[in-house]
């Protein structure tokens, strides 16, 4: 009976958390972010303040979920992640909360978002204010935006799968991140996210809450230098080699996790 009541409590809290994430996010986009815009001159300072605001909002969101005992979160190597400015952060993507976890750990995070969000009546102000990069830019413009972001000291968060992992299937990474990494010759900080038991996976409704409280673990792993793959005659071959190595790395981590 106690376990059933705890499960019901977590279902209710999860529903409230989703309402807060989407409804509260819309309210903040219409109130707090315009206030930052009003009080901060345009340019780098405004962008940095908006990034810090998102960081602390997500940090507080994860803290609230843990205090409500909806989830548990452990992080290994958080200091290295916070010091990962000016490089690419690559992570696997098992659940819907992955981006929230990472952006709550990284103070100045940058990401590539759907171009449609730029015209959203609620979130458009947020993604524009933080300087997030549109995914519908021309390849040259996208590469230049990533270059500028890394040069400013931002942490460019990338989920190479492009969507959440399908449980039970091996990772399949898109080559775009590897092309960007090798062209910019940047460092890559690998992050492995595990969740046991799995929740909020691809194709699963939010109300299918596991009977045991999910335990998230964020492992800050190896750091790579994309220049190590530039010995190949063709850059496209270097990108394929990088993709293959990281697929094998995350597959091994999944098997051992």
């Amino acid at each position: 009976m106690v376990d059933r009541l705890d499960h019901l409590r977590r279902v209710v809290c999860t529903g409230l958390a989703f309402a807060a994430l989407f409804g509260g996010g819309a309210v903040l986009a219409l109130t707090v972010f315009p206030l930052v815009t009003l009080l901060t001159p345009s340019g780098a300072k405004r962008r940095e303040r908006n990034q810090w605001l998102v960081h602390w909002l997500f940090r507080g969101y994860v803290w609230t979920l843990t205090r409500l005992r909806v989830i548990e979160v452990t992080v290994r190597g958080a200091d290295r992640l916070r010091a990962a400015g000016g490089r690419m952060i690559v992570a696997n993507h098992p659940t819907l909360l992955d981006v929230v976890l990472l952006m709550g750990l990284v103070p100045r995070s940058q990401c590539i978002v759907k171009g449609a969000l730029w015209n959203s009546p609620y979130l458009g102000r947020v993604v524009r204010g933080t300087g997030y990069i549109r995914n519908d830019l021309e390849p040259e413009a996208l590469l230049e935006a990533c270059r500028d972001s890394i040069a400013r000291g931002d942490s460019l968060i990338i989920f190479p799968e492009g969507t959440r992992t399908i449980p039970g299937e091996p990772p399949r990474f898109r080559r775009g991140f590897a092309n960007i990494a090798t062209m910019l010759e940047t460092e890559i900080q690998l992050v492995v996210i595990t969740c046991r038991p799995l929740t909020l996976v691809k194709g699963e409704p939010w109300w299918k809450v596991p009977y045991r409280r999910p335990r998230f673990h964020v492992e800050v792993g190896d750091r790579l230098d994309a220049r190590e793959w530039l010995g190949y005659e063709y850059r496209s071959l270097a990108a394929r080699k990088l993709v293959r190595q990281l697929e094998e790395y995350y597959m091994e981590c999944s098997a051992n996790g």
Side-chain angles (χ1 to χ4, degrees):
M1 177 62 73
V2 174
D3 290 342
R4 289 184 178 180
L5 288 175
D6 181 67
H7 179 254
L8 178 59
R9 179 191 64 81
R10 285 188 288 108
V11 171
V12 172
C13 288
T14 301
L16 293 174
F18 265 85
L21 181 62
F22 294 103
V27 171
L28 289 170
L30 296 173
T31 56
V32 178
F33 284 93
L35 186 61
V36 172
T37 299
L38 181 64
L39 298 177
T40 310
S42 61
K45 193 65 176 179
R46 181 186 297 175
R47 181 178 57 249
E48 289 176 14
R49 285 186 176 179
N50 281 320
Q51 288 176 347
W52 273 96
L53 180 57
V54 170
H55 163 69
W56 282 105
L57 287 172
F58 281 165
R59 190 181 179 97
Y61 184 79
V62 173
W63 179 86
T64 301
L65 291 180
T66 58
R67 294 292 292 178
L68 291 173
R69 296 177 61 82
V70 175
I71 61 173
E72 292 182 11
V73 179
T74 58
V75 183
R76 184 176 179 182
D79 290 343
R80 283 184 289 146
L81 196 57
R82 285 192 289 267
R87 60 178 64 98
M88 181 183 290
I89 297 176
V90 169
N92 59 322
H93 197 6
T95 84
L96 189 61
L97 285 180
D98 303 330
V99 65
V100 176
L101 288 171
L102 283 181
M103 296 183 79
L105 289 168
V106 181
R108 286 181 54 187
S109 56
Q110 176 64 277
C111 58
I112 300 173
V113 301
K114 293 180 180 179
L117 288 178
W118 277 65
N119 300 318
S120 168
Y122 302 114
L123 298 180
R125 191 185 299 271
V126 177
V127 297
R128 291 193 300 270
T130 50
Y132 293 160
I133 302 169
R134 301 177 59 142
N135 68 348
D136 57 357
L137 294 174
E138 292 296 325
E140 295 81 4
L142 178 63
L143 181 66
E144 194 60 33
C146 293
R147 187 193 308 276
D148 291 343
S149 175
I150 291 174
R152 290 193 302 263
D154 293 341
S155 298
L156 181 60
I157 297 175
I158 299 285
F159 296 102
E161 294 166 279
T163 186
R164 279 173 284 171
T165 308
I166 299 176
E169 294 191 6
R172 290 288 181 265
F173 291 172
R174 298 180 181 180
R175 202 188 304 170
F177 86 96
N179 289 329
I180 293 173
T182 53
M183 287 180 180
L184 299 185
E185 301 182 12
T186 186
E187 286 189 329
I188 303 171
Q189 176 63 67
L190 302 182
V191 177
V192 180
I193 301 172
T194 56
C195 177
R196 299 289 186 274
L198 275 171
T199 186
L200 301 174
V201 299
K202 187 176 180 62
E204 180 181 85
W206 67 263
W207 59 83
K208 288 194 67 175
V209 175
Y211 279 94
R212 289 189 295 113
R213 186 165 61 254
R215 291 172 170 82
F216 287 83
H217 180 67
V218 181
E219 179 83 19
V220 183
D222 298 338
R223 183 182 298 174
L224 309 177
D225 190 334
R227 289 174 295 185
E228 296 176 7
W229 281 266
L230 297 182
Y232 299 99
E233 182 177 0
Y234 299 104
R235 193 178 295 272
S236 59
L237 178 59
R240 285 198 297 270
K241 293 283 187 180
L242 177 56
V243 167
R244 189 174 302 117
Q245 178 169 333
L246 292 195
E247 285 180 339
E248 293 173 355
Y249 174 85
Y250 280 98
M251 192 180 303
E252 181 179 351
C253 290
S254 177
N256 296 332

